[in-house]
Amino acid sequence: MKRESYWLGFVLGFLYILDSITQVRASIHEYHKEAFIPQSNAYFFHGGSEGLYASKSLDSSAAAPDDNPSKGKSSIRFENVLFVRTKESSDKQNAMQSRTGLVEAIILEVKDREKIGGAFIKADVICCTPELSSDGSCNVGEVIIQKVDNPEGPKRIQTFFEGKNQEAKMMAQSVEINSTGMYYLYFMYCDPQLQGTTIRGRTVWRNPGGYLPGKMVPLMTFYGVVSLAYLALGLVWFLRFVQFWKDIIQLHYHITAVIALGMCETALWYFEYANLNATGSRPMGITLWAVTISAVKKTLSRLLLLVVSMGYGVVKPTLGGVTSRVLLLGLIYFIASEALELVEHLGNINDFSGKAKIYLVLPVAFLDAWFILWIFSSLSKTLEKLQMRRSMAKLELYRKFTNSLAVFVLLSIAWIGYELYFNASDPLSELWQISWVIPAFWTLLAFFLLVVICVLWAPSSNPTRYAYPGEAGEDFDEEAISLASGVKVTGATDPVTGLREGLEEDKRE
């Protein structure tokens, strides 16, 4: 019952993701009647957080009249921000008063977080009280902000309710950012009578080079470089493919498909980031294609490792009875990976729910572990078969592949440990300028593992060194292979008997 409830929740979550695609923004943070949360003696709403670079100083005399005035500027712009209080709250006010409620927008760099609230005056409150205001430290009804040593510290923008009005509209304005850092935006009020107030509108965050968030800026360049690396690998593989096209086996077509998908995936991510940087919103078409191709490529890459480990095309001509299980695992992995990618890339940059992430990351992590266990279990059986058949050339090939794969798995485990440490030691994203290396590592690891497979299974004029005997198009000659590889095979079993035993074992599997 628990298992069925889990998968039902997973499916409903996936449908919710698809339903919310039309609301996607990136550096544009939208608020839809969001409520304020009580904290100490204040009420706050988290309006967003992003890494921002300092504005660049431009020579205004050299700029063309039609140039974008925001070019080179780093800023947070408030657009159509509206605060709505309850009717009960507005009815308690005097219609003749010009200011009957205050909501403040607080912009602060993460390093200045201790300057918000009464910590610096040894008071465990956020809003100023009559006792604290008596010595001139703050004003009653306002958030306490220390601005002693840094005039560019936390910024406050005030918006007042008037008379009995239920709505208060924030003035449209931009706050320029002149210092590089991780910035947080909070909307706060101190008056308990405003309890139940909601916020609507949006804020637009911009870096000097465009709308791309600071932590994602290096990724655009990274994907551009990796797409060129895939192009170079594809060109080398294509030339080798054409040169030995008469000796191509089925496995080579699978490798070609993974290279092509990797090339398309990285190129699409580059153009997706470029468009995001120019417009501030994710282009739906490119993003959906990039997410889907990325999920397909991850799935096919894992299936390629699995079928190679099983000896497909080398030890046996087909996967036999396990074909359906392999395809089912691939389908489930594709769905789980697609759902995770959609949530990660089709939501606000900093609005990825921790609970949603856990529900979507766990299935992918579980399936990855399943793939690894099945791959190494299959490799063990394949090595045992090759050793029994005295196929020394293929045995050496699979030993190299096993050792390479083991190194990549160890690197993955070590990087997961580092990633957990990185996230645990940086809860406020103060290291945002280097956080791009976390996703970049996995892309590079997948690329270099593909390079290793291309090297080991490169097309050649001697396909019998890794091809299944029936697929090579000639009689099986183990001695010829041993001579070609420089390995002397003694005491070899009869190849026909070995093949017959192998086929019977494959059918049983």
Side-chain angles (χ1 to χ4, degrees):
M1 185 68 181
K2 290 183 178 179
R3 185 176 179 183
E4 292 177 356
S5 300
Y6 175 83
W7 282 108
L8 178 60
F10 180 82
V11 172
L12 290 176
F14 184 75
L15 294 175
Y16 172 78
I17 294 165
L18 295 179
D19 182 62
S20 62
I21 283 177
T22 56
Q23 303 175 5
V24 171
R25 292 292 184 270
S27 290
I28 301 175
H29 298 262
E30 295 190 346
Y31 320 123
H32 305 279
K33 293 185 179 180
E34 309 286 352
F36 286 72
I37 301 172
Q39 178 70 33
S40 183
N41 65 337
Y43 297 82
F44 81 96
F45 169 72
H46 181 211
S49 57
E50 283 185 20
L52 295 173
Y53 292 95
S55 298
K56 296 179 181 178
S57 56
L58 299 176
D59 183 7
S60 58
S61 62
D66 58 345
D67 278 352
N68 186 353
S70 61
K71 185 177 181 181
K73 300 285 187 179
S74 184
S75 64
I76 301 174
R77 188 169 74 250
F78 297 85
E79 295 182 351
N80 301 318
V81 177
L82 185 70
F83 305 105
V84 182
R85 61 183 172 183
T86 62
K87 191 175 187 305
E88 293 79 6
S89 176
S90 63
D91 288 343
K92 295 177 182 178
Q93 308 304 323
N94 188 339
M96 302 303 293
Q97 289 184 340
S98 59
R99 296 181 175 181
T100 56
L102 170 64
V103 181
E104 298 180 287
I106 310 294
I107 300 173
L108 72 148
E109 194 178 348
V110 68
K111 67 180 182 181
D112 295 329
R113 61 188 178 275
E114 298 297 331
K115 296 180 180 180
I116 300 293
F120 67 96
I121 52 177
K122 298 181 180 179
D124 189 22
V125 291
I126 297 175
C127 295
C128 187
T129 61
E131 295 77 13
L132 295 174
S133 67
S134 60
D135 61 358
S137 300
C138 56
N139 298 322
V140 177
E142 295 182 356
V143 176
I144 303 172
I145 297 180
Q146 180 188 21
K147 277 192 176 182
V148 178
D149 55 343
N150 182 16
E152 292 293 331
K155 297 177 176 61
R156 131 178 30 232
I157 302 173
Q158 297 182 331
T159 302
F160 293 92
F161 286 93
E162 297 182 359
K164 290 181 173 290
N165 292 344
Q166 279 189 254
E167 298 182 349
K169 188 172 183 179
M170 187 176 182
M171 183 184 299
Q173 56 189 295
S174 293
V175 177
E176 186 173 342
I177 304 298
N178 295 312
S179 175
T180 299
M182 172 58 69
Y183 284 85
Y184 280 73
L185 169 63
Y186 292 102
F187 295 94
M188 307 178 73
Y189 63 83
C190 301
D191 188 354
Q193 292 187 4
L194 292 178
Q195 187 172 1
T197 298
T198 59
I199 179 175
R200 299 202 304 260
R202 69 178 190 173
T203 53
V204 180
W205 303 56
R206 182 183 173 87
N207 267 296
Y211 292 100
L212 200 63
K215 62 183 179 182
M216 298 172 66
V217 169
L219 284 175
M220 183 171 68
T221 305
F222 170 77
Y223 280 117
V225 173
V226 176
S227 65
L228 294 177
Y230 268 105
L231 181 62
L233 176 63
L235 180 61
V236 173
W237 180 263
F238 177 75
L239 293 176
R240 191 87 177 179
F241 197 94
V242 172
Q243 183 180 2
F244 301 104
W245 68 272
K246 291 183 178 180
D247 301 311
I248 294 299
I249 61 175
Q250 191 67 31
L251 187 61
H252 291 142
Y253 292 102
H254 293 227
I255 297 174
T256 303
V258 174
I259 294 175
L261 285 171
M263 194 186 310
C264 293
E265 176 197 16
T266 51
L268 281 172
W269 281 126
Y270 172 79
F271 288 116
E272 198 266 355
Y273 282 176
N275 195 300
L276 169 60
N277 191 49
T279 64
S281 300
R282 291 185 183 274
M284 285 302 93
I286 297 178
T287 304
L288 287 174
W289 272 108
V291 165
T292 303
I293 289 180
S294 180
V296 171
K297 183 244 180 182
K298 287 180 180 179
T299 303
L300 288 184
S301 298
R302 283 155 179 75
L303 291 178
L304 175 63
L305 289 175
L306 182 58
V307 299
V308 167
S309 302
M310 289 179 172
Y312 171 68
V314 178
V315 177
K316 48 185 161 183
T318 65
L319 296 179
V322 300
T323 303
S324 58
R325 282 186 285 166
V326 170
L327 294 177
L328 179 61
L329 178 60
L331 177 62
I332 296 173
Y333 185 87
F334 169 75
I335 294 173
S337 180
E338 177 83 355
L340 179 60
E341 293 277 348
L342 283 173
V343 172
E344 284 186 325
H345 297 285
L346 293 180
N348 285 349
I349 295 302
N350 68 308
D351 294 342
F352 191 73
S353 169
K355 186 176 292 187
K357 185 173 183 178
I358 290 176
Y359 281 115
L360 293 171
V361 167
L362 284 178
V364 176
F366 174 76
L367 291 170
D368 274 328
W370 195 346
F371 265 114
I372 291 173
L373 291 175
W374 200 354
I375 285 170
F376 278 99
S377 174
S378 300
L379 276 173
S380 176
K381 294 179 181 178
T382 301
L383 289 170
E384 185 179 352
K385 287 180 184 179
L386 292 173
Q387 196 164 14
M388 290 177 60
R389 298 178 188 179
R390 309 287 194 213
S391 302
M392 303 310 295
K394 295 178 183 178
L395 181 62
E396 182 65 22
L397 178 69
Y398 266 86
R399 279 176 177 168
K400 290 180 180 178
F401 175 66
T402 304
N403 293 337
S404 300
L405 195 58
V407 170
F408 281 101
V409 170
L410 291 176
L411 285 175
S412 299
I413 295 172
W415 191 257
I416 290 173
Y418 171 75
E419 190 173 340
L420 292 174
Y421 166 78
F422 183 90
N423 292 329
S425 61
D426 186 37
L428 298 176
S429 301
E430 294 179 85
L431 302 177
W432 59 276
Q433 289 178 285
I434 62 171
S435 63
W436 66 275
V437 302
I438 299 295
F441 173 83
W442 298 111
T443 302
L444 285 178
L445 192 72
F447 174 76
F448 285 117
L449 182 56
L450 182 59
V451 170
V452 169
I453 293 177
C454 289
V455 171
L456 293 177
W457 273 271
S460 72
S461 57
N462 182 24
T464 54
R465 68 186 178 94
Y466 46 57
Y468 183 74
E471 198 174 343
E474 56 186 37
D475 293 334
F476 181 78
D477 188 352
E478 186 68 50
E479 186 178 357
I481 295 177
S482 66
L483 291 174
S485 61
V487 180
K488 179 67 176 176
V489 180
T490 57
T493 58
D494 179 33
V496 176
T497 303
L499 284 174
R500 187 181 297 111
E501 292 175 354
L503 285 172
E504 291 175 356
E505 186 177 354
D506 294 339
K507 290 178 181 178
R508 288 195 298 271
E509 291 181 356

